[in-house]
Amino acid sequence: MPPISVTYRPLTGPEELDLFGRLSYVLDHELADDFANGCRRPEWTWVALDGDRLLGRLSWWTTPGGDTPLQFDFFDLDDELPAAERHEIGLRLFETARAAVFLAGAKLPEYGRFVPPDWREDPAAREVVEARTRILESTGARLLVERLRLGWTPESAVPAPASRLVFRPVKDREDLIALMTPVMEGTLDAHGQADLASGLNAREAAEQHYEEEFAGFKSPQEWWRIAELPDGGGPVGFVIPARNTYNPIIAYIGVLPAHRGNGYIDDILAEGTRILAAEGVDRIRAATDLANVPMAKAFERAGYVNFERALNLVWD
């Protein structure tokens, strides 16, 4: 085989998506729409080429029409390459693209990778996951969390209404943040814990979460629910059913610390699931940290299936 001569460059435009598609990933079906709605740009979407052979590719994502990359979610390499060569090409691809897309010293967006639920037990899948991870770790990244990706479909029974709680819509931003704040204080969520470790207090972390995610949903805020004890017994928790750019989702769910351990999470999750199911959706997506066993068990009881996992890496 002749020696490889590698060119690293961004795509010239969406017309090169066929080239980008010579390697594969589970999000490939979203690429055309992402370019059309401004979630991706050619200058954020890079390839490593030997002639017309695609050796590697990567891309950053943002919200529709956004000006700044918010997520690093494509990083693929030709796994027929020898391991050392693959590592070198992946490293050079990332470093070259990073230098072109971000100012020196800029904080890099989180890297998210969807992987099979049994990736550790499958030698081929494990090699793919760990090879990419090693490359990014060599640039300063570290694993923040492994998450379960969960799905509900109408084949599962719609959970029955709760008999011991009552639900009302969220009144306004403050109504929700006032409940998110105490939930944040005792969170088991790795992203929430990282926000607190960064120096934010619980309310600041709740406000940041609201502004960066909830405020951007196009689905009705009338879907959001606060769970209360009957007869004026006060709030117990809340759930945020929504629709993001791609799926109906359970965006966030929480039980106030004083009410944990009573099984209310099942009733609150059931309410969020019913709201989305009533919209006639063909699926609901959700996620929780692998280490958050109580939440994972609640999703399982509600008929959600762990169809995938996600690895999230960050640069400090």
Side-chain angles (χ1 to χ4, degrees):
M1 179 182 293
I4 289 177
S5 175
V6 186
T7 299
Y8 302 93
R9 66 167 177 84
L11 296 188
T12 58
E15 67 275 4
E16 285 199 309
L17 280 178
D18 285 346
L19 168 65
F20 197 75
R22 292 176 189 170
L23 296 175
S24 64
Y25 180 50
V26 296
L27 296 181
D28 284 344
H29 65 284
E30 297 175 356
L31 285 166
D33 285 344
D34 282 352
F35 272 94
N37 64 25
C39 289
R40 297 187 197 277
R41 297 183 178 186
E43 62 267 28
W44 299 347
T45 305
W46 283 65
V47 290
L49 298 167
D50 175 24
D52 62 357
R53 179 187 175 188
L54 182 63
L55 305 177
R57 64 177 189 169
L58 61 76
S59 183
W60 285 275
W61 176 96
T62 191
T63 51
D67 293 327
T68 304
L70 298 179
Q71 183 80 16
F72 177 35
D73 59 350
F74 271 80
F75 185 45
D76 300 298
L77 299 163
D78 183 344
D79 290 300
E80 294 184 2
L81 292 167
E85 202 166 82
R86 185 179 56 197
H87 184 101
E88 178 66 17
I89 290 169
L91 179 59
R92 286 179 176 265
L93 174 62
F94 177 79
E95 294 287 19
T96 303
R98 175 171 70 170
V101 174
F102 298 95
L103 296 174
K107 183 171 177 60
L108 296 178
E110 181 178 290
Y111 171 66
R113 179 81 182 186
F114 297 150
V115 299
D118 61 347
W119 69 271
R120 285 186 176 83
E121 288 72 49
D122 180 339
R126 183 166 186 162
E127 165 58 18
V128 168
V129 173
E130 292 183 344
R132 274 59 164 177
T133 301
R134 284 192 296 269
I135 292 168
L136 297 178
E137 286 176 339
S138 71
T139 73
R142 64 176 177 84
L143 179 67
L144 175 67
V145 67
E146 182 170 341
R147 310 197 81 206
L148 303 176
R149 298 195 74 221
L150 305 148
W152 181 93
T153 65
E155 284 70 35
S156 297
V158 177
S163 59
R164 55 185 182 154
L165 295 175
V166 294
F167 292 88
R168 66 168 176 84
V170 173
K171 296 175 185 175
D172 52 29
R173 179 181 184 275
E174 179 57 31
D175 192 29
L176 182 59
I177 287 179
L179 299 181
M180 291 175 65
T181 298
V183 168
M184 188 69 69
E185 289 171 351
T187 184
L188 296 177
D189 179 83
H191 287 90
Q193 291 174 346
D195 288 338
L196 297 176
S198 74
L200 297 178
N201 62 38
R203 182 178 175 89
E204 291 167 340
E207 290 175 333
Q208 177 175 283
H209 195 152
Y210 184 99
E211 297 300 337
E212 291 184 353
E213 184 175 1
F214 304 161
F217 289 143
K218 303 303 183 186
S219 50
Q221 289 192 9
E222 288 77 13
W223 293 355
W224 304 359
R225 290 291 186 271
I226 290 176
E228 298 182 329
L229 294 172
D231 302 321
V236 168
F238 57 89
V239 61
I240 309 297
R243 185 185 290 273
N244 65 14
T245 307
Y246 307 100
N247 293 294
I249 60 171
I250 300 295
Y252 197 42
I253 186 168
V255 177
L256 298 179
H259 295 289
R260 290 174 183 158
N262 297 308
Y264 290 132
I265 191 67
D266 290 342
D267 300 320
I268 299 171
L269 176 57
E271 179 72 6
T273 302
R274 278 197 307 276
I275 288 169
L276 292 174
E279 297 296 315
V281 303
D282 60 0
R283 65 186 180 277
I284 302 171
R285 295 286 188 253
T288 192
D289 291 3
L290 179 62
N292 193 345
V293 175
M295 192 68 247
K297 292 293 186 183
F299 277 114
E300 183 179 352
R301 290 190 295 270
Y304 287 73
V305 174
N306 173 213
F307 68 94
E308 213 166 43
R309 292 190 183 186
L311 302 181
N312 298 126
L313 281 72
V314 295
W315 286 261
D316 295 322

